[in-house]
Amino acid sequence: MKDLIFPQAGIITSLNVEQALAKVFIPLFKIETTWIPVSTNLLYETKIKATTLERDSHTVYYDSEKISINSTASGPKETSSQETMERIEWGTLKVGNEVVVVFLNGNLNAGRVIARI
């Protein structure tokens, strides 16, 4: 299997996210790997979500000499808000995803999942 020196396309058949391991079926050779490591950047995706908790409206009068705030008067309004940020993580790989597997030194037992296709 000298072709193992080239990256191979495969399909994830089993996934263990906690240990960052996967079993991958390689269609070209009609074989399934044993548990092989998955690149950690493929396992999780992170984003930040801002949620408005509280909003206070007040009127601000702009004068060259002073600024006055009156919550009952009318005029140009400026709104301030307080927001909270929360970190959201979710798994990105699933059984059935197509991935790229490299075999270090062409060794079938030294596979690594390096990308999702």
Side-chain angles (χ1 to χ4, degrees), residues 36-115:
I36 59 175
V38 176
S39 178
T40 55
N41 65 326
L42 298 176
L43 292 176
Y44 299 102
E45 220 169 283
T46 303
K47 76 174 185 176
I48 304 297
K49 179 180 178 185
T51 307
T52 303
L53 289 179
E54 187 177 306
R55 184 171 290 268
D56 296 326
S57 295
H58 56 272
T59 303
V60 179
Y61 290 98
Y62 295 95
D63 190 342
S64 59
E65 295 178 8
K66 67 177 187 173
I67 296 176
S68 62
I69 299 174
N70 184 343
S71 60
T72 59
S74 61
K77 291 189 177 183
E78 179 182 291
T79 304
S80 65
S81 64
Q82 293 179 339
E83 294 184 340
T84 182
M85 300 287 194
E86 76 180 275
R87 179 179 172 151
I88 302 170
E89 281 191 352
W90 63 94
T92 58
L93 282 182
K94 296 181 176 99
V95 171
N97 284 152
E98 193 171 1
V99 293
V100 175
V101 180
V102 295
F103 295 93
L104 305 177
N105 300 320
N107 183 347
L108 181 61
N109 296 317
R112 304 288 187 269
V113 177
I114 63 165

